Amino acid sequence: MIVLGIESSCDETAAAIVNDKKEILGECVLTQIEHKTYGGVVPEIAARSHLEHIEDILEETFKKANIAPSEIDAIAAAAGPGLIGGVVVGVMAAKSLALALNKPFIAINHLEGHALAARLTSNVQYPYLLLLVSGGHCQILIVKDVGDFERLGTTIDDAAGEAFDKVAKMLGLGYPGGPMIEKMSEIGNENRFVLPRPLQHSGDCNLSFSGLKTAVRKIIESYSPDNNIEHAILNKQDIADICASFQKAATDCLVHKIQKAIAIFRHKYPNANDIVVSGGVAANTYLRNRLKQIAETEGLKFSAPPIRFCTDNGVMIAWAGVERALKGISDPLDFKPRPRWPLDTDAPKAAGAGGVKA
Ligand code: KG4
Ligand code: ZN
């Protein structure tokens, strides 16, 4: 089973060809740098850039894999959630190829791509506990099977990556903020600034980053003569210390709620072993190490995709396509992309009208 996967839901135009032996035959990722000057992704610029580059990315991916389009068994594309202009570009490319090659089309929930990525790169068994932390999402889920998710908790305001990006923006560190905050934190004192850990005592697995972000803003304002963060006078060490204190606080919040979730997961699935972190923020080594420690203490096996497969990529979409195709799941060519697409409402369709013959 060989599947082509296309990702275009945010600011990466990406494609990959992956088979059911877990081999990545070819992959290509183009990260749009146009957004850097705006401090965030501009949807219309993103959509235009996907449109401009999608054909070259696909050609390059086939070239790297050294296979002909006719050798592909199915074509998968991230069909939501995400910026709809970009999603439509990837989905249209996938549908066109599916039609021209007479192969099945598979609509992938972008979050399922992140959720299943660790099964490609590590030996992760269903059911597993998943912390999904990206720029747009922050959820704790039990992944029971392809398309079968139980959400234990979610952010009630900002996503984790969004909080990293907003704090980085306040500190003038540019976009995306996560990698810069992590880098600055290496030379920072994580205990210098006292920051809140929102929802610590809520008793559930929900998260909140808005208050944490506001607390950082207040600290930055206190370094400004007129309470305007644009005029704050911060030296490199001050910035590093804010970054490290924020990174620790955000990680503490995630770790605390994961511990709660582990207790629920254990109760429901006493024989399950795996805990996974994925999504862009999972590229953060400090967070990975803290989660690894917790997993070891709890006697669970910790896995995370390699850092390059944490942020958006085509490999995770192709792999989710492989998992779906192996179950005979595909989608009709009139599938409508879904800008909003919660994971725990996605019931997989049995092989039928458009079913893949594996
Ligand atoms: O999964 P992703 O590439 O796109 C979405 O689906 O949202 O995640 C992007 C997010 C951004 O918010 C970025 O700042 C964050 O992941 N990120 C990180 C790191 N690398 C990327 N956050 C913290 N530490 C990192 N090293
Ligand atoms: Zn993503």
Side-chain angles (χ1 to χ4, degrees):
M1 171 66 67
I2 305 175
V3 176
L4 166 70
I6 302 175
E7 161 59 39
S8 59
S9 65
C10 193
D11 56 345
E12 266 87 22
T13 316
I17 298 170
V18 174
N19 68 18
D20 58 349
K21 295 186 190 77
K22 298 191 170 183
E23 290 166 335
I24 299 163
L25 305 177
E27 58 161 320
C28 210
V29 182
L30 177 84
T31 299
Q32 302 172 356
I33 50 164
E34 298 91 316
H35 309 285
K36 280 194 188 294
T37 40
Y38 301 96
V41 180
V42 184
E44 184 60 20
I45 293 177
R48 289 179 193 197
S49 179
H50 288 304
L51 197 57
E52 194 182 328
H53 298 292
I54 189 84
E55 279 178 42
D56 290 346
I57 292 288
L58 286 169
E59 222 177 285
E60 186 69 21
T61 304
F62 275 107
K63 211 191 269 174
K64 282 185 179 170
N66 196 24
I67 59 171
S70 58
E71 294 175 70
I72 298 287
D73 294 301
I75 297 120
L83 302 176
I84 196 63
V87 171
V88 166
V89 171
V91 167
M92 286 308 292
K95 286 180 178 176
S96 311
L97 275 171
L99 193 64
L101 299 168
N102 195 23
K103 307 279 178 181
F105 161 72
I106 308 174
I108 303 293
N109 182 317
H110 174 86
L111 301 174
E112 181 169 283
H114 280 303
L116 304 188
R119 280 174 48 81
L120 168 68
T121 52
S122 311
N123 181 22
V124 174
Q125 302 294 324
Y126 296 121
Y128 58 93
L129 185 64
L130 171 71
L131 173 64
L132 203 168
V133 270
S134 70
H137 298 271
C138 180
Q139 304 178 10
I140 299 174
L141 302 138
I142 297 174
V143 187
K144 298 179 195 170
D145 202 342
V146 177
D148 190 1
F149 300 87
E150 180 182 344
R151 200 170 69 180
L152 300 183
T154 184
T155 178
I156 59 166
D157 40 54
D158 292 348
E162 197 179 348
F164 272 87
D165 293 336
K166 285 178 177 168
V167 166
K169 195 172 179 181
M170 287 186 239
L171 291 168
L173 294 175
Y175 178 86
M180 284 308 293
I181 290 198
E182 179 172 11
K183 199 165 183 329
M184 290 301 288
S185 297
E186 284 166 16
I187 55 158
N189 172 3
E190 63 183 24
N191 298 314
R192 173 160 163 205
F193 296 102
V194 179
L195 289 168
R197 271 72 172 154
L199 294 191
Q200 282 259 295
H201 305 292
S202 65
D204 55 22
C205 295
N206 286 338
L207 289 137
S208 163
F209 293 100
S210 175
L212 178 54
K213 181 190 67 191
T214 306
V216 172
R217 171 179 283 276
K218 289 219 166 85
I219 288 170
I220 302 173
E221 277 171 1
S222 72
Y223 282 79
S224 159
D226 58 358
N227 263 2
N228 180 342
I229 57 167
E230 311 246 317
H231 305 151
I233 301 159
L234 294 163
N235 63 32
K236 191 175 174 191
Q237 193 59 53
D238 295 328
I239 293 175
D241 293 347
I242 292 173
C243 286
S245 302
F246 165 75
Q247 182 175 264
K248 180 166 190 273
T251 304
D252 282 350
C253 295
L254 293 167
V255 165
H256 180 72
K257 292 303 172 106
I258 268 293
Q259 280 177 302
K260 277 204 170 322
I262 288 173
I264 298 169
F265 181 56
R266 270 265 159 73
H267 185 71
K268 290 190 177 213
Y269 300 97
N271 298 322
N273 267 323
D274 288 290
I275 175 167
V276 169
V277 64
S278 70
V281 184
N284 187 289
T285 305
Y286 179 83
L287 172 65
R288 288 164 88 100
N289 289 340
R290 291 277 307 274
L291 290 169
K292 201 170 171 202
Q293 270 168 20
I294 293 295
E296 273 165 18
T297 313
E298 299 280 349
L300 291 169
K301 183 161 74 65
F302 172 79
S303 305
I307 285 173
R308 71 195 176 101
F309 295 147
C310 286
T311 46
D312 292 349
N313 63 86
V315 170
M316 68 183 195
I317 303 301
W319 173 250
V322 168
E323 290 226 26
R324 286 194 161 239
L326 288 173
K327 286 190 172 274
I329 302 165
S330 69
D331 295 277
L333 287 179
D334 63 357
F335 181 96
K336 280 196 189 66
R338 300 175 64 176
R340 288 184 195 283
W341 189 356
L343 261 183
D344 50 351
T345 58
D346 176 35
K349 291 160 282 291
V356 182
K357 284 161 200 74

